[in-house]
Amino acid sequence: MNAESETDRDARKPPAGVAVVVIGYDDAAHVTDAVRSALAQGPAVREVVAVDDCSTDGSAGLLDRLAASEPRLRVIRRRANSGGCGTPRNTGLDAVTSPYVMFLDSDDILPPGAVDALLEAAEGAHAEVAGGLCVRRELPSGREVPWQAHLYALHSVVPHPARRPRLVHDTLCVNKLYRTGFLRAHGIRFPEGRFPYEDVVFTARVLAAAPRIALVPDRVYVWHVRRSAGRLSISLDRSGVENWRARTEACRQAYEVLLGAGQKELARAVRAKFLDHDLRMYVRELGLRDAAYRRAWWELTRAHLAEYDADDWARNPAAPGRLIGRVVLASPEPCDLPRLRELAARPARLCPPYARAADGTPVWSDALPVSLEPLRARPVRALPLAVDGELRPCARGTRLRLRLRLRLHELYGRVAQAGPESVEAEWLHRDDGGVVVRDTAVPLAPCPSGSEPAGTAGSEAVALAQGPEPAGRAGSRAVALARGAEPAGAVAVGPYARGVEPAGAAGTTGTAGTAGTAGTVRGGAWSAEVAVDLAALSALGAGTWDLRLRIRFRDGVSRDVSAHALRGAGLLRRSAVPSVRHGVVLVQPYATHSGALALRVAPGVRGVLSVARARLRRLLH
């Protein structure tokens, strides 16, 4: 009877109210959609506070008209533009009267059920903060990428942020519900004015207050990414070095906030996150910038990393971000940008040359002897393996074919020690990650000693000599290069300094004949060839496919990698392949910003016209 009475009382108790603070500036095209998505959450949303940051495009008028028919909506107009997101969010937070608060940007939306999922989690766990899954939706393609999905794989409760240091990686404030009284009691606010990464500091202030946190796997926020917009969002506009300056400053403040609150482990995690996420992201784009940007970026980065202490570098010392950071610190000027870009890729690729110091220690290069010794202890499933890839379309009668040639490089004896056995190619559709085309796993064959001429140490160019299809392989779905013999004309040439272990190093972590000698060394590699089913790739129409490889070793361990896109005569060139079904298929291998091999496919007349229109637009603009 008592239980029934308690249940009845709970049923009569009004639900806790949530306020959604929506901020916007000159976003008349989207702001009402954002507000409506908040109002559509149902009775759990007690109020929506829309803060217009002194727009000039009529946004405030649209909000006023919507508020006239919606009593839960309140519009606040700021008299002067703040230049950022922090000040309008603080304005909205000050106006909130509900027990809980969420934040929403004018160009994003809350998916149905988001508020209910977060509120139920917060109430059920007696948590001050509840967080859920945010998805980045690329527009106009509609492709969705989950943000920090591993944090939100399951329902969980974190009694103290220090129990889950990975929380520092989710710096977003918009995919979370906060207890309003908690924020006010601890004086937690956003940085004021033009502070591009205000949510990084805000999140650090929240974690520093040691809240109880509930996590849910539900989708609670849709982050719209409009890269073709006339005015990019603050976080997407990375064209100027001031953006990098703002990001490093936000990370510095986040570290200081957590360290000042006695959250030393979380503060260390902030620095680790900077190396693993922020640094790698910008390094991948560094080659796209001009010389002045690169010099300024390099100087800013060295100044920031100089603040790190020995403990920061000692944690996971073989991680790609830490290796990149140590190279940047060791060189006063920008250097080795193509090789750093490859190491910054996901998954990371450490391309040749593989140099050694006089005592045999693996080092970054002869000119920059940063130690790579930590790689010796890194598990093979996490090594930054380098695989070169070359795609050449070809036709056999009426059959569509793509020939994928791969070369896996030795890495200071670790690859030979692990024993690579096979490789499986997998093509992921760029706009729909759920569509995958897999090719049969094929054996990896050791390349013959001496088949690859020594290159010039430190060179950043790669060329692969064009050669004919090996005899007898025309109808093969997936084939491996014959053991002990490269096809004629298929030898890798050009100066990319294949500095790897010499032949005979299999099963060793040292190298006979190299210990005690300085400089780049040469050696083993493994190769395979795969005939890709172009018909399967073109069946979905025009699209882009990213290549992923799975290398399997003799002990059953596997490593997922991407392929470094080789450049050279006849490579990365658009070709027209005849097709019975489509008439013609345009295919173009290309290198992504991180240097990975990818493929564009455009079948039929429509595909050809779409490529022509895109090219014309580029010429006109």
Side-chain angles (χ1 to χ4, degrees), residues 59 72 100 108 142 156 179 219 251 266 353 391 402 404 420 424 496 546 564:
S59 294
R72 289 181 295 166
Y100 293 93
D108 301 329
S156 61
R179 194 183 294 274
R219 287 163 45 115
C251 292
L266 290 177
L391 266 173
L402 275 181
L404 171 62
E424 178 184 355
Y496 201 177
D546 292 308
H564 163 76

Side-chain angles (χ1 to χ4, degrees), residues 362-517:
V363 293
W364 175 258
S365 68
D366 298 340
L368 205 64
V370 173
S371 175
L372 301 182
E373 184 67 22
L375 289 176
R376 291 183 181 275
R378 195 165 179 82
V380 69
R381 64 179 180 275
L383 283 174
L385 301 181
V387 179
D388 291 338
E390 171 199 354
L391 266 173
R392 290 186 186 276
C394 58
R396 291 292 184 268
T398 60
R399 296 190 63 184
L400 299 178
R401 290 175 55 80
L402 275 181
R403 187 179 62 182
L404 171 62
R405 300 189 67 248
L406 303 169
R407 180 182 290 266
L408 165 66
H409 295 284
E410 180 57 277
L411 186 63
Y412 297 112
R414 296 298 311 286
V415 179
Q417 186 181 43
E421 291 189 334
S422 66
V423 60
E424 178 184 355
E426 183 177 82
W427 297 92
L428 289 77
H429 197 276
R430 177 74 59 81
D431 294 332
D432 186 352
V435 178
V436 179
V437 174
R438 292 184 177 88
D439 291 293
T440 306
V442 300
L444 279 161
C447 298
S449 177
S451 68
E452 194 169 27
T456 304
S459 174
E460 297 158 354
V462 178
L464 194 66
Q466 183 172 356
E469 180 92 342
R473 304 189 182 220
S476 171
R477 159 78 172 149
V479 296
L481 291 179
R483 291 181 180 273
E486 288 272 23
V491 177
V493 298
Y496 201 177
R498 309 293 189 185
V500 292
E501 298 291 327
T508 66
T509 53
T511 304
T514 60
T517 61

Side-chain angles (χ1 to χ4, degrees), residues 46-77:
R46 181 186 297 177
E47 58 183 335
V48 176
V49 180
V51 182
D52 180 76
D53 201 12
C54 198
S55 294
T56 60
D57 68 344
S59 294
L62 292 175
L63 291 171
D64 285 339
R65 286 193 288 274
L66 184 58
S69 60
E70 178 49 70
R72 289 181 295 166
L73 174 60
R74 183 162 28 133
V75 180
I76 299 176
R77 298 193 191 189

